[in-house]
PDB file of all heavy atoms in Angstrom:
ATOM      1  N   ALA A  49     -23.060  -0.120  -4.992  1.00 98.00           N
ATOM      2  CA  ALA A  49     -22.768  -0.697  -6.196  1.00 98.00           C
ATOM      3  C   ALA A  49     -21.981   0.317  -7.157  1.00 98.00           C
ATOM      4  O   ALA A  49     -22.259   1.482  -7.153  1.00 98.00           O
ATOM      5  CB  ALA A  49     -23.947  -1.135  -6.997  1.00 98.00           C
ATOM      6  N   PHE A  50     -21.156  -0.341  -8.013  1.00 98.00           N
ATOM      7  CA  PHE A  50     -20.671   0.262  -9.191  1.00 98.00           C
ATOM      8  C   PHE A  50     -21.641   0.135 -10.286  1.00 98.00           C
ATOM      9  O   PHE A  50     -21.697  -1.058 -10.906  1.00 98.00           O
ATOM     10  CB  PHE A  50     -19.303  -0.381  -9.523  1.00 98.00           C
ATOM     11  CG  PHE A  50     -18.096   0.278  -8.707  1.00 98.00           C
ATOM     12  CD1 PHE A  50     -17.733  -0.498  -7.584  1.00 98.00           C
ATOM     13  CD2 PHE A  50     -17.389   1.425  -9.026  1.00 98.00           C
ATOM     14  CE1 PHE A  50     -16.681   0.002  -6.798  1.00 98.00           C
ATOM     15  CE2 PHE A  50     -16.340   1.919  -8.260  1.00 98.00           C
ATOM     16  CZ  PHE A  50     -16.036   1.231  -7.100  1.00 98.00           C
ATOM     17  N   HIS A  51     -22.542   1.100 -10.615  1.00 97.00           N
ATOM     18  CA  HIS A  51     -23.749   0.964 -11.384  1.00 97.00           C
ATOM     19  C   HIS A  51     -23.463   1.131 -12.823  1.00 97.00           C
ATOM     20  O   HIS A  51     -24.254   0.745 -13.695  1.00 97.00           O
ATOM     21  CB  HIS A  51     -24.757   1.787 -10.920  1.00 97.00           C
ATOM     22  CG  HIS A  51     -24.528   3.142 -10.946  1.00 97.00           C
ATOM     23  ND1 HIS A  51     -23.916   3.872  -9.964  1.00 97.00           N
ATOM     24  CD2 HIS A  51     -24.655   4.106 -11.996  1.00 97.00           C
ATOM     25  CE1 HIS A  51     -23.840   5.240 -10.225  1.00 97.00           C
ATOM     26  NE2 HIS A  51     -24.256   5.373 -11.431  1.00 97.00           N
ATOM     27  N   ARG A  52     -22.268   1.721 -13.173  1.00 98.00           N
ATOM     28  CA  ARG A  52     -22.010   2.084 -14.542  1.00 98.00           C
ATOM     29  C   ARG A  52     -20.499   1.988 -14.664  1.00 98.00           C
ATOM     30  O   ARG A  52     -19.719   2.880 -14.249  1.00 98.00           O
ATOM     31  CB  ARG A  52     -22.491   3.507 -14.835  1.00 98.00           C
ATOM     32  CG  ARG A  52     -22.272   4.054 -16.256  1.00 98.00           C
ATOM     33  CD  ARG A  52     -22.935   5.345 -16.567  1.00 98.00           C
ATOM     34  NE  ARG A  52     -22.754   5.832 -17.774  1.00 98.00           N
ATOM     35  CZ  ARG A  52     -22.085   6.999 -18.085  1.00 98.00           C
ATOM     36  NH1 ARG A  52     -21.623   7.696 -17.024  1.00 98.00           N
ATOM     37  NH2 ARG A  52     -21.815   7.317 -19.304  1.00 98.00           N
ATOM     38  N   VAL A  53     -20.040   0.905 -15.465  1.00 98.00           N
ATOM     39  CA  VAL A  53     -18.621   0.610 -15.539  1.00 98.00           C
ATOM     40  C   VAL A  53     -18.443   0.418 -17.056  1.00 98.00           C
ATOM     41  O   VAL A  53     -18.837  -0.642 -17.616  1.00 98.00           O
ATOM     42  CB  VAL A  53     -18.217  -0.673 -14.738  1.00 98.00           C
ATOM     43  CG1 VAL A  53     -16.742  -0.814 -14.817  1.00 98.00           C
ATOM     44  CG2 VAL A  53     -18.755  -0.464 -13.326  1.00 98.00           C
ATOM     45  N   ILE A  54     -17.681   1.288 -17.672  1.00 98.00           N
ATOM     46  CA  ILE A  54     -17.529   1.289 -19.145  1.00 98.00           C
ATOM     47  C   ILE A  54     -16.072   1.048 -19.405  1.00 98.00           C
ATOM     48  O   ILE A  54     -15.143   1.778 -19.045  1.00 98.00           O
ATOM     49  CB  ILE A  54     -17.999   2.541 -19.843  1.00 98.00           C
ATOM     50  CG1 ILE A  54     -19.369   2.820 -19.472  1.00 98.00           C
ATOM     51  CG2 ILE A  54     -17.727   2.521 -21.343  1.00 98.00           C
ATOM     52  CD1 ILE A  54     -19.879   4.193 -19.939  1.00 98.00           C
ATOM     53  N   ASP A  55     -15.765  -0.086 -20.082  1.00 97.00           N
ATOM     54  CA  ASP A  55     -14.425  -0.541 -20.346  1.00 97.00           C
ATOM     55  C   ASP A  55     -13.680   0.493 -21.178  1.00 97.00           C
ATOM     56  O   ASP A  55     -14.265   1.183 -22.103  1.00 97.00           O
ATOM     57  CB  ASP A  55     -14.426  -1.885 -21.185  1.00 97.00           C
ATOM     58  CG  ASP A  55     -13.157  -2.642 -21.177  1.00 97.00           C
ATOM     59  OD1 ASP A  55     -12.455  -2.600 -20.051  1.00 97.00           O
ATOM     60  OD2 ASP A  55     -12.847  -3.206 -22.130  1.00 97.00           O
ATOM     61  N   GLY A  56     -12.510   0.836 -20.781  1.00 97.00           N
ATOM     62  CA  GLY A  56     -11.618   1.883 -21.478  1.00 97.00           C
ATOM     63  C   GLY A  56     -12.036   3.280 -21.168  1.00 97.00           C
ATOM     64  O   GLY A  56     -11.540   4.146 -21.700  1.00 97.00           O
ATOM     65  N   PHE A  57     -12.984   3.380 -20.150  1.00 98.00           N
ATOM     66  CA  PHE A  57     -13.408   4.743 -19.772  1.00 98.00           C
ATOM     67  C   PHE A  57     -13.450   4.935 -18.287  1.00 98.00           C
ATOM     68  O   PHE A  57     -12.479   5.485 -17.810  1.00 98.00           O
ATOM     69  CB  PHE A  57     -14.819   4.929 -20.279  1.00 98.00           C
ATOM     70  CG  PHE A  57     -15.491   6.283 -20.118  1.00 98.00           C
ATOM     71  CD1 PHE A  57     -14.711   7.525 -19.971  1.00 98.00           C
ATOM     72  CD2 PHE A  57     -16.845   6.415 -19.922  1.00 98.00           C
ATOM     73  CE1 PHE A  57     -15.330   8.721 -19.639  1.00 98.00           C
ATOM     74  CE2 PHE A  57     -17.473   7.674 -19.719  1.00 98.00           C
ATOM     75  CZ  PHE A  57     -16.599   8.803 -19.580  1.00 98.00           C
ATOM     76  N   MET A  58     -14.477   4.387 -17.508  1.00 98.00           N
ATOM     77  CA  MET A  58     -14.504   4.754 -16.119  1.00 98.00           C
ATOM     78  C   MET A  58     -15.442   3.834 -15.467  1.00 98.00           C
ATOM     79  O   MET A  58     -16.209   3.151 -16.004  1.00 98.00           O
ATOM     80  CB  MET A  58     -14.841   6.180 -15.844  1.00 98.00           C
ATOM     81  CG  MET A  58     -16.255   6.702 -16.460  1.00 98.00           C
ATOM     82  SD  MET A  58     -17.525   6.449 -15.356  1.00 98.00           S
ATOM     83  CE  MET A  58     -18.872   5.912 -16.467  1.00 98.00           C
ATOM     84  N   ALA A  59     -15.323   3.767 -14.069  1.00 98.00           N
ATOM     85  CA  ALA A  59     -16.260   3.163 -13.176  1.00 98.00           C
ATOM     86  C   ALA A  59     -16.965   4.091 -12.334  1.00 98.00           C
ATOM     87  O   ALA A  59     -16.289   4.853 -11.643  1.00 98.00           O
ATOM     88  CB  ALA A  59     -15.374   2.220 -12.305  1.00 98.00           C
ATOM     89  N   GLN A  60     -18.288   4.186 -12.330  1.00 98.00           N
ATOM     90  CA  GLN A  60     -19.080   5.082 -11.553  1.00 98.00           C
ATOM     91  C   GLN A  60     -19.800   4.370 -10.401  1.00 98.00           C
ATOM     92  O   GLN A  60     -20.319   3.340 -10.541  1.00 98.00           O
ATOM     93  CB  GLN A  60     -20.069   5.788 -12.511  1.00 98.00           C
ATOM     94  CG  GLN A  60     -20.852   6.912 -11.916  1.00 98.00           C
ATOM     95  CD  GLN A  60     -21.630   7.763 -12.852  1.00 98.00           C
ATOM     96  OE1 GLN A  60     -21.312   7.786 -14.047  1.00 98.00           O
ATOM     97  NE2 GLN A  60     -22.821   8.320 -12.355  1.00 98.00           N
ATOM     98  N   THR A  61     -19.915   5.096  -9.234  1.00 98.00           N
ATOM     99  CA  THR A  61     -20.465   4.605  -8.075  1.00 98.00           C
ATOM    100  C   THR A  61     -20.984   5.737  -7.246  1.00 98.00           C
ATOM    101  O   THR A  61     -20.958   6.843  -7.723  1.00 98.00           O
ATOM    102  CB  THR A  61     -19.523   3.739  -7.297  1.00 98.00           C
ATOM    103  OG1 THR A  61     -20.180   3.191  -6.197  1.00 98.00           O
ATOM    104  CG2 THR A  61     -18.301   4.426  -6.805  1.00 98.00           C
ATOM    105  N   ILE A 119     -14.164   6.857 -11.271  1.00 98.00           N
ATOM    106  CA  ILE A 119     -12.664   6.546 -11.319  1.00 98.00           C
ATOM    107  C   ILE A 119     -12.438   6.370 -12.777  1.00 98.00           C
ATOM    108  O   ILE A 119     -12.913   5.411 -13.472  1.00 98.00           O
ATOM    109  CB  ILE A 119     -12.200   5.502 -10.356  1.00 98.00           C
ATOM    110  CG1 ILE A 119     -12.790   5.685  -8.980  1.00 98.00           C
ATOM    111  CG2 ILE A 119     -10.764   5.287 -10.463  1.00 98.00           C
ATOM    112  CD1 ILE A 119     -12.605   4.476  -8.049  1.00 98.00           C
ATOM    113  N   PHE A 121     -10.402   4.889 -15.863  1.00 98.00           N
ATOM    114  CA  PHE A 121      -9.574   3.833 -16.199  1.00 98.00           C
ATOM    115  C   PHE A 121      -8.363   4.258 -17.124  1.00 98.00           C
ATOM    116  O   PHE A 121      -7.441   3.580 -17.072  1.00 98.00           O
ATOM    117  CB  PHE A 121     -10.303   2.773 -17.047  1.00 98.00           C
ATOM    118  CG  PHE A 121     -11.353   1.951 -16.282  1.00 98.00           C
ATOM    119  CD1 PHE A 121     -12.574   1.742 -16.730  1.00 98.00           C
ATOM    120  CD2 PHE A 121     -11.015   1.379 -15.110  1.00 98.00           C
ATOM    121  CE1 PHE A 121     -13.643   1.071 -16.066  1.00 98.00           C
ATOM    122  CE2 PHE A 121     -11.927   0.480 -14.323  1.00 98.00           C
ATOM    123  CZ  PHE A 121     -13.128   0.404 -14.849  1.00 98.00           C
ATOM    124  N   VAL A 144      -9.369  -1.437  -9.074  1.00 98.00           N
ATOM    125  CA  VAL A 144     -10.292  -0.696  -9.881  1.00 98.00           C
ATOM    126  C   VAL A 144     -10.452  -1.345 -11.321  1.00 98.00           C
ATOM    127  O   VAL A 144     -11.495  -1.480 -11.725  1.00 98.00           O
ATOM    128  CB  VAL A 144      -9.936   0.799  -9.985  1.00 98.00           C
ATOM    129  CG1 VAL A 144     -10.887   1.467 -10.904  1.00 98.00           C
ATOM    130  CG2 VAL A 144      -9.849   1.338  -8.607  1.00 98.00           C
ATOM    131  N   ASP A 145      -9.308  -1.719 -11.828  1.00 98.00           N
ATOM    132  CA  ASP A 145      -9.312  -2.260 -13.200  1.00 98.00           C
ATOM    133  C   ASP A 145     -10.110  -3.644 -13.280  1.00 98.00           C
ATOM    134  O   ASP A 145     -10.584  -3.995 -14.317  1.00 98.00           O
ATOM    135  CB  ASP A 145      -7.925  -2.544 -13.719  1.00 98.00           C
ATOM    136  CG  ASP A 145      -7.094  -1.289 -14.050  1.00 98.00           C
ATOM    137  OD1 ASP A 145      -7.787  -0.217 -14.274  1.00 98.00           O
ATOM    138  OD2 ASP A 145      -5.837  -1.323 -13.891  1.00 98.00           O
ATOM    139  N   ALA A 146     -10.221  -4.279 -12.102  1.00 98.00           N
ATOM    140  CA  ALA A 146     -10.943  -5.573 -12.021  1.00 98.00           C
ATOM    141  C   ALA A 146     -12.394  -5.498 -11.788  1.00 98.00           C
ATOM    142  O   ALA A 146     -13.062  -6.505 -11.673  1.00 98.00           O
ATOM    143  CB  ALA A 146     -10.229  -6.301 -10.929  1.00 98.00           C
ATOM    144  N   ILE A 147     -12.913  -4.203 -11.677  1.00 98.00           N
ATOM    145  CA  ILE A 147     -14.454  -4.052 -11.387  1.00 98.00           C
ATOM    146  C   ILE A 147     -15.170  -4.609 -12.542  1.00 98.00           C
ATOM    147  O   ILE A 147     -14.890  -4.330 -13.746  1.00 98.00           O
ATOM    148  CB  ILE A 147     -14.733  -2.631 -11.069  1.00 98.00           C
ATOM    149  CG1 ILE A 147     -14.004  -2.125  -9.788  1.00 98.00           C
ATOM    150  CG2 ILE A 147     -16.149  -2.350 -11.018  1.00 98.00           C
ATOM    151  CD1 ILE A 147     -14.111  -0.613  -9.546  1.00 98.00           C
ATOM    152  N   THR A 148     -16.229  -5.283 -12.282  1.00 98.00           N
ATOM    153  CA  THR A 148     -17.112  -5.914 -13.328  1.00 98.00           C
ATOM    154  C   THR A 148     -17.702  -4.818 -14.252  1.00 98.00           C
ATOM    155  O   THR A 148     -18.356  -3.814 -13.688  1.00 98.00           O
ATOM    156  CB  THR A 148     -18.276  -6.755 -12.672  1.00 98.00           C
ATOM    157  OG1 THR A 148     -17.591  -7.705 -11.871  1.00 98.00           O
ATOM    158  CG2 THR A 148     -19.113  -7.440 -13.812  1.00 98.00           C
ATOM    159  N   ARG A 149     -17.617  -5.021 -15.518  1.00 98.00           N
ATOM    160  CA  ARG A 149     -18.160  -4.032 -16.477  1.00 98.00           C
ATOM    161  C   ARG A 149     -19.606  -4.218 -16.748  1.00 98.00           C
ATOM    162  O   ARG A 149     -20.188  -5.376 -16.555  1.00 98.00           O
ATOM    163  CB  ARG A 149     -17.415  -4.098 -17.790  1.00 98.00           C
ATOM    164  CG  ARG A 149     -15.883  -4.128 -17.795  1.00 98.00           C
ATOM    165  CD  ARG A 149     -15.349  -2.874 -17.049  1.00 98.00           C
ATOM    166  NE  ARG A 149     -14.026  -2.592 -17.394  1.00 98.00           N
ATOM    167  CZ  ARG A 149     -12.920  -2.762 -16.633  1.00 98.00           C
ATOM    168  NH1 ARG A 149     -13.103  -3.161 -15.446  1.00 98.00           N
ATOM    169  NH2 ARG A 149     -11.751  -2.344 -16.965  1.00 98.00           N
ATOM    170  N   GLY A 150     -20.328  -3.060 -17.188  1.00 97.00           N
ATOM    171  CA  GLY A 150     -21.696  -3.071 -17.574  1.00 97.00           C
ATOM    172  C   GLY A 150     -22.396  -1.723 -17.284  1.00 97.00           C
ATOM    173  O   GLY A 150     -21.835  -0.942 -16.437  1.00 97.00           O
ATOM    174  N   GLU A 151     -23.471  -1.602 -17.836  1.00 95.00           N
ATOM    175  CA  GLU A 151     -24.329  -0.351 -17.775  1.00 95.00           C
ATOM    176  C   GLU A 151     -25.755  -0.717 -17.567  1.00 95.00           C
ATOM    177  O   GLU A 151     -26.491  -0.431 -18.495  1.00 95.00           O
ATOM    178  CB  GLU A 151     -24.116   0.607 -18.913  1.00 95.00           C
ATOM    179  CG  GLU A 151     -22.864   1.164 -19.234  1.00 95.00           C
ATOM    180  CD  GLU A 151     -22.989   2.165 -20.290  1.00 95.00           C
ATOM    181  OE1 GLU A 151     -23.373   3.304 -20.225  1.00 95.00           O
ATOM    182  OE2 GLU A 151     -22.295   1.773 -21.460  1.00 95.00           O
ATOM    183  N   PRO A 152     -26.077  -1.247 -16.444  1.00 94.00           N
ATOM    184  CA  PRO A 152     -25.330  -1.668 -15.306  1.00 94.00           C
ATOM    185  C   PRO A 152     -24.944  -3.017 -15.423  1.00 94.00           C
ATOM    186  O   PRO A 152     -25.344  -3.799 -16.313  1.00 94.00           O
ATOM    187  CB  PRO A 152     -26.370  -1.639 -14.215  1.00 94.00           C
ATOM    188  CG  PRO A 152     -27.620  -2.105 -14.833  1.00 94.00           C
ATOM    189  CD  PRO A 152     -27.571  -1.403 -16.294  1.00 94.00           C
ATOM    190  N   PRO A 153     -23.857  -3.390 -14.723  1.00 96.00           N
ATOM    191  CA  PRO A 153     -23.350  -4.832 -14.647  1.00 96.00           C
ATOM    192  C   PRO A 153     -24.491  -5.740 -14.187  1.00 96.00           C
ATOM    193  O   PRO A 153     -25.289  -5.381 -13.266  1.00 96.00           O
ATOM    194  CB  PRO A 153     -22.227  -4.769 -13.714  1.00 96.00           C
ATOM    195  CG  PRO A 153     -21.784  -3.397 -13.536  1.00 96.00           C
ATOM    196  CD  PRO A 153     -23.039  -2.587 -13.784  1.00 96.00           C
ATOM    197  N   PRO A 156     -23.135  -6.431 -10.238  1.00 97.00           N
ATOM    198  CA  PRO A 156     -22.296  -5.290  -9.934  1.00 97.00           C
ATOM    199  C   PRO A 156     -21.324  -5.563  -8.726  1.00 97.00           C
ATOM    200  O   PRO A 156     -21.739  -6.287  -7.851  1.00 97.00           O
ATOM    201  CB  PRO A 156     -23.233  -4.115  -9.681  1.00 97.00           C
ATOM    202  CG  PRO A 156     -24.556  -4.763  -9.350  1.00 97.00           C
ATOM    203  CD  PRO A 156     -24.596  -6.063  -9.978  1.00 97.00           C
ATOM    204  N   ASP A 157     -20.132  -5.110  -8.877  1.00 98.00           N
ATOM    205  CA  ASP A 157     -19.326  -5.070  -7.697  1.00 98.00           C
ATOM    206  C   ASP A 157     -19.625  -3.847  -6.792  1.00 98.00           C
ATOM    207  O   ASP A 157     -20.579  -2.950  -7.219  1.00 98.00           O
ATOM    208  CB  ASP A 157     -17.806  -4.837  -8.148  1.00 98.00           C
ATOM    209  CG  ASP A 157     -17.185  -6.060  -8.752  1.00 98.00           C
ATOM    210  OD1 ASP A 157     -17.614  -7.309  -8.340  1.00 98.00           O
ATOM    211  OD2 ASP A 157     -16.427  -5.940  -9.715  1.00 98.00           O
TER     212      ASP A 157
END
Side-chain angles (χ1 to χ4, degrees):
F50 282 91
H51 63 269
R52 184 170 174 245
V53 186
I54 303 171
D55 200 35
F57 180 31
M58 58 91 217
Q60 186 171 335
T61 185
I119 305 171
F121 287 131
V144 175
D145 289 335
I147 294 169
T148 303
R149 306 308 200 249
E151 294 184 75
D157 285 328

